[in-house]
Amino acid sequence: FIDRIEITAEKESVPLRTKFLQGYYDSPQIERLDNGQGFLIGMADSAEKEKEYKEKKLQFPQTIEAQNTYFGFNWMDPVVGEGKTPEERERNKKLRQAISIAMDWEEYIQIFEKGLASPAHGPLPPGLFGYREDGAAAFNPIVYEKTEDGLVRRKSIEEAKKLLAEAGYPGGRDAKTGEPLVLNLDFQAAASPSTKAVLDWYQKQFAKIGIQLDIRGTDYNRFQDKVISGNHQLFLWGWLADYPDVENFLFLLYGPNAKSKTGGSGENASNYQNPKYDELFSRMRYMDEGPDKAEAINELIKIVQEDAPWTFGYFPTSSAAFHQWVHNGKPTQVVRNHIQYLRLDPETRVKAIKEWNKPIYWPLLVFVLLSALVIIPAVALHRKRERMTARTTEEDVK
């Protein structure tokens, strides 16, 4: 195991990456475990880089993080929220479900996350107790369907349009007034060239079912004020686990944690309320891990899949970057004291550095040859001029 760690502060990324590839650094950033994404993207874009990384046996361990990014609906909003009557509740729920189907997170992951994420079927990421491949956490029947060969795919846009019509907005227009349905996305940054692509993508998703999406971009402080006061409609947010437990994700939809009803002290930014969910969550959080708790978690996820207070978004993938002689490196954003668990094979490191950084002499020989080609003619020309000057002087004397 590591006895001592030495960290060099590189001012630029190019020399940092170069020295890592030469073997002088065991990892580009040993204190972080999410710096391998750039190398994976490079491998996907360049066959030359892929060959080099494989020949050097670089390690890029990956994991789906205990972290999510989601697109939320404010439960207090009259259009996309809970609704006051049974008819409104059903209408608003179908609208949220239609939007959830239309939001093609698989496409988003490929474009903006370079494939390094997994679409979420619920609020619970893989790797935590309660997540089962055969359970609700891994399959959302409201948004996805299973093919005959067992593959999971997002439901068609036609299904989304059907739900939208049942919600009272055929073709994206109010069936009673004929007015177009316009929804507002409260975005936590002012519109800029750097955010244009992703905001255009959001608008495109809503346009697929005829809904107009208006972007209301503000600075982050103003955005937080709007969420706390409940003056938001649609919003994009995320959560990184404080500790790796299911409670730390399911409490984001717990009614008493509603942000707009607790003055901002709660983390339920959607202000989602469901008495059945709240009662079951209150019991689940104190259960010991076992079949009963697993079943309670499964039921909680089914409730929010049906209500759709979020389009559940995605879970990002983290990847570390290590050389072959580093062992026990496991990427995670939750654990920050990982260095003490790393193990090194110094002999392999020394051997690799010698092999990868052998002196290259031919540039020096080329330099000497070129220098000779320049210097020798210059010397010869100088001597010739000296002799010519001497003869001219003797003739003048005579």
Side-chain angles (χ1 to χ4, degrees):
F1 290 91
I2 293 175
D3 298 313
R4 186 180 75 257
I5 180 168
E6 297 179 1
I7 297 178
T8 301
E10 292 284 355
K11 295 182 179 180
E12 298 180 2
S13 60
V14 173
L16 172 63
R17 180 181 293 254
T18 300
K19 292 176 184 178
F20 169 66
L21 293 176
Q22 289 175 318
Y24 295 113
Y25 294 151
D26 301 311
S27 175
Q29 288 178 280
I30 199 71
E31 75 280 9
R32 292 182 64 108
L33 289 172
D34 60 346
N35 48 51
Q37 288 95 326
F39 292 93
L40 292 173
I41 294 170
M43 290 175 66
D45 293 339
S46 170
E48 183 179 349
K49 288 183 178 180
E50 181 180 13
K51 180 182 178 182
E52 178 186 5
Y53 297 168
K54 288 183 177 180
E55 287 179 349
K56 292 186 174 180
K57 300 180 181 179
L58 298 182
Q59 302 179 81
F60 305 113
Q62 299 179 53
T63 188
I64 299 175
E65 285 288 3
Q67 176 183 351
N68 65 3
T69 295
Y70 62 88
F71 201 96
F73 304 96
N74 181 12
W75 213 243
M76 299 167 61
D77 186 82
V79 179
V80 300
E82 179 181 18
K84 295 181 179 180
T85 66
E87 292 76 17
E88 284 185 1
R89 293 190 184 99
E90 186 66 17
R91 171 176 173 158
N92 293 2
K93 181 175 71 173
K94 289 185 176 181
L95 172 59
R96 294 191 301 271
Q97 291 177 346
I99 294 172
S100 297
I101 294 172
M103 293 284 288
D104 190 348
W105 289 108
E106 287 80 4
E107 181 182 82
Y108 180 97
I109 289 168
Q110 292 303 316
I111 297 174
F112 299 104
E113 297 296 322
K114 307 301 182 183
L116 298 176
S118 296
H121 287 250
L124 182 62
L128 301 185
F129 177 83
Y131 186 96
R132 304 197 315 259
E133 291 296 336
D134 61 344
F139 179 69
N140 183 350
I142 303 300
V143 178
Y144 294 87
E145 60 187 5
K146 291 185 177 180
T147 62
E148 294 181 357
D149 53 0
L151 298 177
V152 175
R153 67 184 180 191
R154 184 173 292 271
K155 289 184 177 180
S156 68
I157 289 297
E158 295 306 316
E159 289 280 346
K161 289 180 177 180
K162 180 181 177 182
L163 284 169
L164 189 64
E166 293 174 0
Y169 303 102
R173 291 182 173 272
D174 192 306
K176 295 180 180 179
T177 65
E179 294 292 325
L181 176 60
V182 180
L183 300 179
N184 300 302
L185 169 62
D186 290 286
F187 194 65
Q188 60 266 54
S192 67
S194 62
T195 60
K196 185 179 186 304
V198 69
L199 294 178
D200 287 347
W201 185 87
Y202 291 139
Q203 290 179 318
K204 177 184 175 183
Q205 305 310 299
F206 283 75
K208 289 189 297 188
I209 54 177
I211 299 176
Q212 297 180 32
L213 183 66
D214 184 32
I215 308 295
R216 301 191 298 195
T218 60
D219 62 78
Y220 190 63
N221 289 336
R222 174 60 181 148
F223 169 75
Q224 286 184 307
D225 291 340
K226 293 172 73 172
V227 173
I228 292 172
S229 62
N231 291 322
H232 57 309
Q233 188 174 47
L234 309 177
F235 64 99
L236 182 74
W237 225 337
W239 184 256
L240 172 62
D242 298 302
Y243 46 91
D245 187 86
V246 62
E247 187 269 344
N248 198 232
F249 282 92
L250 296 186
F251 91 127
L252 297 173
L253 293 164
Y254 182 48
N257 284 341
K259 189 174 285 289
S260 300
K261 296 183 179 181
T262 60
S265 61
E267 293 298 340
N268 179 357
S270 290
N271 301 305
Y272 174 64
Q273 306 286 321
N274 185 311
K276 184 179 178 181
Y277 182 94
D278 294 344
E279 188 275 331
L280 184 56
F281 176 84
S282 297
R283 290 190 289 110
M284 180 280 302
R285 66 193 307 184
Y286 297 113
M287 291 180 180
D288 293 330
E289 291 188 356
D292 291 340
K293 184 171 184 176
E295 184 56 35
I297 294 169
N298 207 51
E299 289 302 314
L300 286 166
I301 294 173
K302 286 181 179 180
I303 292 172
V304 294
Q305 286 174 338
E306 175 70 24
D307 284 346
W310 298 349
T311 75
F312 293 103
Y314 62 91
F315 304 120
T317 297
S318 280
S319 174
F322 298 108
H323 276 291
Q324 57 181 296
W325 54 81
V326 181
H327 305 281
N328 302 338
K330 298 180 180 180
T332 175
Q333 287 292 308
V334 178
V335 178
R336 293 293 188 176
N337 62 338
H338 65 281
I339 295 177
Q340 62 185 312
Y341 303 109
L342 296 179
R343 184 168 58 83
L344 294 175
D345 180 2
E347 293 181 0
T348 302
R349 174 169 57 186
V350 171
K351 181 179 178 181
I353 291 176
K354 289 182 178 180
E355 180 181 345
W356 297 340
N357 302 283
K358 293 178 180 178
I360 301 176
Y361 295 108
W362 67 262
L364 181 60
L365 296 175
V366 170
F367 175 76
V368 172
L369 179 59
L370 291 175
S371 299
L373 293 174
V374 172
I375 294 173
I376 293 173
V379 171
L381 180 61
H382 175 73
R383 290 180 176 179
K384 181 178 180 181
R385 285 182 176 179
E386 287 293 321
R387 288 196 297 270
M388 289 176 65
T389 302
R391 285 197 299 271
T392 302
T393 302
E394 291 173 358
E395 290 175 357
D396 291 341
V397 172
K398 290 180 180 179

